[in-house]
Every structure is written in structure tokens, then in C-alpha cells.
Amino acid sequence: MALDPALPVGRRIQYYRERAGKSRAVLAGLLGRSPSWLKQVEAGVLLPPRLPMLTRIAQHLGVDDLSLLTGDVSMPRALYSGMDHAALASVRRAVDGAPLGTAGGPAPRLDHIAVQLADAWRTRMTRGDHRTALAELLPPLVSAASVAASHPECTDRRRAEAMYASALNLTQMYAAFQGDGNLVWRVAERALATARASGDPQAIATSCWFLVEAFRKSGQWESAQTLTEDALRLLNPVRTENPELACAWADIAYHAAITHAVAGEAGDAWRWIDRAKAVSDALPADHWSAPTSGSRQAAALHSVTVAVELRQTGTALRWARRLPEADVIAVPRRGRHLIEVARAHALRGESEKVAERLTTAVEVAPETARWSEETRAMVRALIDGGPSDQVAGRRLADAIGMAA
């Protein structure tokens, strides 16, 4: 049977899965993913899997020609697999070079590491080319922090472990959406283990936030929600102690909202938005968490995402209008916000506004746009559109390094 050439990837996977006589649970298990993840892929709620996962799906379904799943023989690989930053190998070496036992040599000075760490987070917030900027800062920072956390003469081990966890959180931001998914998991899990060893609730909460992000991006929603609930229980007794802990609670609650939204659970998603907003609205006006963008502005930022995931485009755009772009202090987060707004316009079929928002996102934070799966998907849709859309799509493809 010949399939309609316009049939999307998800429906093609469903067709060949059913033809092979495999249930959704069986195929998901073979892929190491959850049935809910596969359901969302087949329904088109999630973007199509990247090329390595598509190859594994084809193998398990007995599909010899990958184009039967993609419907497009000329589909560029860059659309589905993250590009490696030029310095990824050096950052990976710093992560993998952490001492296995007690570190030797002189003990690193914790105050010096604190300055390095603050400089790295400030760089991440203020640079549109944040990956390139971080690539120079991360290797010495990660190495020093890992040695300090395991050195027998460390003067404050709890502080050293909390700083090492923070350096690993920053590394996850650098490594995300590149080709080495194993590195992302390695730093996310190591950060949480290190933070737990420190006993610092702020460090634990932030590392939970990053691991939840990894769970959700890989479609592991149940794991994401379980960890979210654990983090909220941990923070609940202490969240009134200071603005940082209150912000951490709100950040995790926003995670709960987004996870419910991705799963299509609108009522739960908006209830969590309301709970998180009540806390973040009470933060000091100038409060901004570098790792999570926790702030008074967070309600609008996350509400746009929740509404987009729920396909409530009018709501998404109303929230977007409430938040001037200049109020999003962190430059990469501002770029991400513009991409989310573009997604809302894409759901409405407003290709001209999609191109406008993406063009601005590239200008504001080029490396956020370049390593965004959603951006590549929208650029591909523009290229496949009418003549004027094709011009805009090819221009954007050139700007983000994607084959047009």
C-alpha cells in the first residue's frame, strides 16, 4: 500500500508499527521510551524523532528504507540531530576528567571558583553567542570545581559540592541539543548526586530543575513529574525562608505545569501555573535566577509555553503581549521566548509572523536559535511553503547553519 506523501512522520510510524503487529507499549519498550512518548510522537504533539532514533524505529519495524518513515528522501539530517559545537570535545574532557577518588595537589581556593562560577553564569545570561563564550570558561571551571569537591583539604565541602553542581548545571545548558545526548545525562545526574551530597536545598532544587528538563525533552514525562513532586516536597517546608528558595519552588511548579501541558492535561497545567505565579509574583522586582530565569516575569514566559503546548494559541499570544521582550533579562531566554511566540503563530498558520519572530530571535540570541529543534522545524515549514515563505526560510536556514 502506498502512503499519502503528505502523511506526517508520526502517522507513518503508527502505520508501520501496526503493520508489524507491535503494540505501542512493545515498541516504546524496545526504544527505551515510555508509551506516552510514542503516543505523542505518533499524534504529532512532539517533533519527529532525530535520525538515530528514526533508524532504531525502522529496525524494530522491519522498515528497510528510512524514507518510508520520513516521506522525504532529501530530508536533511541537521533537522533532526543536534549540531556539535566546535569546543564540545574540550568541555566533555573536563567533565570526564573529574577525580574518581580523593583529589591530589593543592586545594583550589573556593573564593576563586566562586568568582569563576559567577562570571560564567553572567556570561550565559548576557551573550547571544553563549555557547561559544562558555566553551572557554567551562573546562577550567568544571575541572577546578570537581577537584575542590573531592579534595581532602577542602575548607568547606558543602560549599564546594554546591558550586560543582552549579558548574555541571551550566554545562548541561551548553551541551543541550547537541549530538552527545549521553553528556547531557551524565552532567544532569552527576549534578543532582553532587547537590544531594552537599545537603544544600537550593543546589538540590536547581539540579532537580535541570534533570526534569532532560526527562521532559526526552519524553519521559512520568519520571519528570515524579522528580518534580519530590522537589516540591523538599522545598515546601523551607520556601518561606528567603526569596531564593521561594523562587526555586516556583520554578519547579512551573515545570509541573509544562509537563502536564505537554501531556495534554490542560486543567492540571493551568492550576500549576496559578500556584507558581502566586509565589513568583511575590519575588522582589529585580530578582532573576540565572540558571532557571526564575522571576516575576516567569509567569508570562511559562504561560506562553503552556498555552502553545496545549494548542491554545490565542492565550499564548495574549500572555506574550503582556511581557515586553526587553523585560526578559537573560539574552538566551529572550531568544527562547521569541521562538515560543513563533510557535504560537506557526500553529495559526501565520508564516509571515513566524519568520519575523524567528528573525528577531536569531538577531537577539543566534546560538539559542541555532540549537533549537523547534526553530529548525519552523524553518523547514517555511521552506516548504509559498514563494515568499521560501525566501524567508532559506535566509533563516543560512543564519542557523541548516541545509535548505
Side-chain angles (χ1 to χ4, degrees):
M1 171 184 169
L3 297 182
D4 181 347
L7 196 67
V9 173
R11 292 305 181 194
R12 288 171 176 272
I13 292 172
Q14 181 180 3
Y15 169 79
Y16 284 106
R17 174 179 61 77
E18 292 173 349
R19 193 185 73 165
K22 287 184 169 63
S23 69
R24 192 173 281 133
V26 167
L27 178 57
L30 292 169
L31 298 171
R33 297 297 182 89
S34 66
S36 60
W37 173 83
L38 182 56
K39 180 179 180 180
Q40 298 293 321
V41 168
E42 292 181 347
V45 175
L46 290 178
L47 289 172
R50 295 178 180 179
L51 192 60
M53 179 59 78
L54 278 173
T55 302
R56 291 176 60 196
I57 292 171
Q59 290 171 341
H60 288 303
L61 298 183
V63 174
D64 296 327
D65 186 348
L66 197 60
S67 68
L68 294 175
L69 294 182
T70 66
D72 180 7
V73 177
S74 63
M75 181 188 65
R77 183 182 182 276
L79 180 60
Y80 294 118
S81 62
M83 301 165 285
D84 286 354
H85 189 272
L88 180 63
S90 65
V91 175
R92 186 192 298 115
R93 281 194 297 271
V95 171
D96 293 344
L100 294 176
T102 301
R109 293 177 55 188
L110 297 188
D111 288 345
H112 179 66
I113 296 173
V115 171
Q116 286 182 279
L117 188 60
D119 183 46
W121 279 114
R122 183 168 51 252
T123 297
R124 205 275 166 180
M125 281 185 59
T126 58
R127 295 280 292 267
D129 60 343
H130 52 95
R131 278 187 171 83
T132 297
L134 286 177
E136 296 183 9
L137 302 177
L138 281 173
L141 170 61
V142 170
S143 297
S146 66
V147 170
S150 60
H151 201 284
E153 298 177 12
C154 179
T155 56
D156 187 344
R157 191 164 307 282
R158 173 174 171 164
R159 183 187 180 200
E161 288 168 337
M163 288 194 296
Y164 182 32
S166 184
L168 291 170
N169 295 153
L170 190 56
T171 303
Q172 182 176 335
M173 283 187 155
Y174 167 83
F177 309 116
Q178 298 190 48
D180 190 351
N182 289 330
L183 178 59
V184 173
W185 285 109
R186 205 148 64 244
V187 297
E189 292 172 345
R190 188 181 300 177
L192 181 54
T194 305
R196 290 178 66 185
S198 78
D200 183 327
Q202 180 74 40
I204 296 170
T206 303
S207 294
C208 282
W209 189 93
F210 277 91
L211 186 52
V212 169
E213 182 82 0
F215 277 137
R216 192 171 60 242
K217 289 296 184 183
S218 63
Q220 300 180 62
W221 300 320
E222 293 177 6
S223 296
Q225 202 64 1
T226 297
L227 183 56
T228 297
E229 291 167 1
D230 288 345
L232 289 169
R233 280 193 292 271
L234 172 72
L235 289 168
N236 208 47
V238 298
R239 68 177 186 172
T240 59
E241 292 182 4
N242 57 56
E244 287 73 23
L245 290 172
C247 182
W249 189 93
D251 291 337
I252 297 290
Y254 283 125
H255 254 328
I258 295 171
T259 303
H260 280 297
V262 171
E265 299 162 354
D268 287 331
W270 289 116
R271 275 191 288 274
W272 275 110
I273 284 287
D274 289 342
R275 294 181 67 183
K277 185 176 184 299
V279 176
S280 62
D281 280 354
L283 293 171
D286 60 350
H287 185 91
W288 187 280
S289 168
T292 64
S293 296
S295 58
R296 288 187 182 181
Q297 292 79 13
L301 290 170
H302 295 303
S303 292
V304 170
T305 297
V306 163
V308 169
E309 295 294 348
L310 293 171
R311 305 304 195 256
Q312 298 174 357
T313 56
T315 301
L317 295 174
R318 281 194 295 275
W319 273 105
R321 285 192 290 270
R322 297 182 192 182
L323 180 62
E325 292 166 13
D327 287 357
V328 185
I329 295 172
V331 171
R333 189 62 181 89
R334 192 183 311 158
R336 177 70 219 174
H337 177 60
L338 288 163
I339 293 167
E340 292 295 286
V341 176
R343 290 178 68 201
H345 287 298
L347 289 171
R348 284 188 162 189
E350 298 170 344
S351 58
E352 184 175 343
K353 291 182 178 179
V354 171
E356 289 175 359
R357 296 300 181 276
L358 291 183
T359 298
T360 305
V362 171
E363 293 170 352
V364 168
E367 292 193 350
T368 297
R370 185 179 181 88
W371 274 276
S372 164
E373 294 177 346
E374 291 89 351
T375 296
R376 290 196 295 275
M378 287 185 281
V379 170
R380 173 55 56 187
L382 290 171
I383 292 171
D384 291 340
S388 61
D389 292 343
Q390 290 175 9
V391 172
R394 291 192 180 97
R395 184 177 63 250
L396 283 163
D398 288 341
I400 64 174
M402 181 183 120

